[in-house]
Amino acid sequence: EVQLLESGGGLVQPGGSLRLSCAASGFTFSTYAMTWVRQAPGKGLDWVSSISGGGGGSTYYPDSVKGRFTISRDDSKNMVFLYMNSLRVDDTAVYYCAKGGGAEFDCWGQGTLVIVSS
Amino acid sequence: EIVMTQSPATLSVSPGERATLSCRASQSVSINLGWYQQKPGQAPRLLMYDTSTRGTGIPARFSGSGSGTEFTLTISSLQSEDFAVYYCQQYDKWPLTFGGGTKVEIK
């Protein structure tokens, strides 16, 4: 069974940093792209970042987070990370880890809540 | 950036009735489109990918159609568990983008 488990969310002040982690199991992690998607309270889904699989490690970001967020992966530990810097109030959201990228997302974690507030 | 527009924002349907949800792309995405279902307090779940291929375990009452810029998700006979928010998403071009969602509620 494919499972994704996010961690690392919490309360952070504007301008602060946070690292999110996603532990994957139940599939050959290294061969799949992985993605972070967020959802602000009461709002829709917003793509945050993707990283390719198969050893390529190409990364993709929307303009809204480019230069502030960094995605990475550790295939030896079946984990993907999201480093978030210069956090803003409008980055407040539930952050989901999803399997896939550049295609459909066929499995999602339960999410981790990030609150950016002073 | 490809803008995805879903309509209607809210759809009121009685159990057993048919529901038709629309998704429009601001430029062609070929058939590179997925649909997701999200229930309150839960993560999204993949319903459909490549426009018309059902995800694992998705019942046959869900069907998808379209290509280019116009897409439709049809639920042939709504069951109680189908009342949720539905999102379309294009993966033809970066940045990946989602529609704003259609909430299917009980009439």
Side-chain angles (χ1 to χ4, degrees):
Chain A
E1 179 190 6
V2 174
Q3 289 193 330
L4 300 171
L5 183 62
E6 303 95 335
S7 60
L11 174 64
V12 60
Q13 292 189 336
S17 299
L18 210 56
R19 185 189 82 160
L20 305 183
S21 301
C22 172
S25 61
F27 62 102
T28 308
F29 178 79
S30 62
T31 65
Y32 286 90
M34 296 295 294
T35 291
W36 289 94
V37 175
R38 66 185 177 184
Q39 187 169 37
K43 302 297 184 183
L45 302 172
D46 182 33
W47 170 68
V48 173
S49 181
S50 297
I51 186 166
S52 65
S58 297
T59 58
Y60 305 86
Y61 306 93
D63 287 346
S64 58
V65 307
K66 196 175 293 184
R68 299 190 301 123
F69 291 10
T70 302
I71 190 172
S72 67
R73 62 190 299 156
D74 184 339
D75 289 345
S76 70
K77 296 181 179 178
N78 288 1
M79 295 193 72
V80 62
F81 305 98
L82 186 68
Y83 298 84
M84 304 185 294
N85 297 314
S86 304
L87 281 161
R88 309 188 298 222
V89 171
D90 63 357
D91 293 318
T92 294
V94 174
Y95 284 73
Y96 294 103
C97 171
K99 173 174 166 276
E104 73 278 5
F105 306 131
D106 62 2
C107 184
W108 298 61
Q110 283 306 300
T112 187
L113 177 62
V114 173
I115 299 173
V116 184
S117 174
S118 55
Chain B
E1 171 176 320
I2 298 175
V3 177
M4 307 301 292
T5 303
Q6 291 186 241
S7 62
T10 303
L11 187 60
S12 297
V13 186
S14 298
E17 288 188 340
R18 182 186 193 92
T20 302
L21 288 67
S22 295
C23 175
R24 174 176 293 178
S26 61
Q27 60 183 271
S28 176
V29 299
S30 185
I31 61 165
N32 298 313
L33 183 112
W35 289 93
Y36 301 87
Q37 177 193 67
Q38 188 178 33
K39 298 179 182 179
Q42 295 185 17
R45 175 175 74 144
L46 176 68
L47 286 180
M48 204 77 59
Y49 63 96
D50 294 347
T51 295
S52 59
T53 303
R54 282 188 296 277
T56 302
I58 303 303
R61 64 180 180 273
F62 290 91
S63 63
S65 63
S67 68
T69 62
E70 300 284 342
F71 301 88
T72 300
L73 176 71
T74 301
I75 312 170
S76 60
S77 177
L78 270 157
Q79 306 298 302
S80 58
E81 62 267 29
D82 300 336
F83 292 96
V85 180
Y86 293 82
Y87 295 95
C88 63
Q89 177 233 338
Q90 68 81 19
Y91 43 86
D92 190 67
K93 293 182 178 61
W94 304 98
L96 309 180
T97 47
F98 290 90
T102 291
K103 181 179 180 181
V104 177
E105 64 176 25
I106 300 174
K107 186 174 182 179

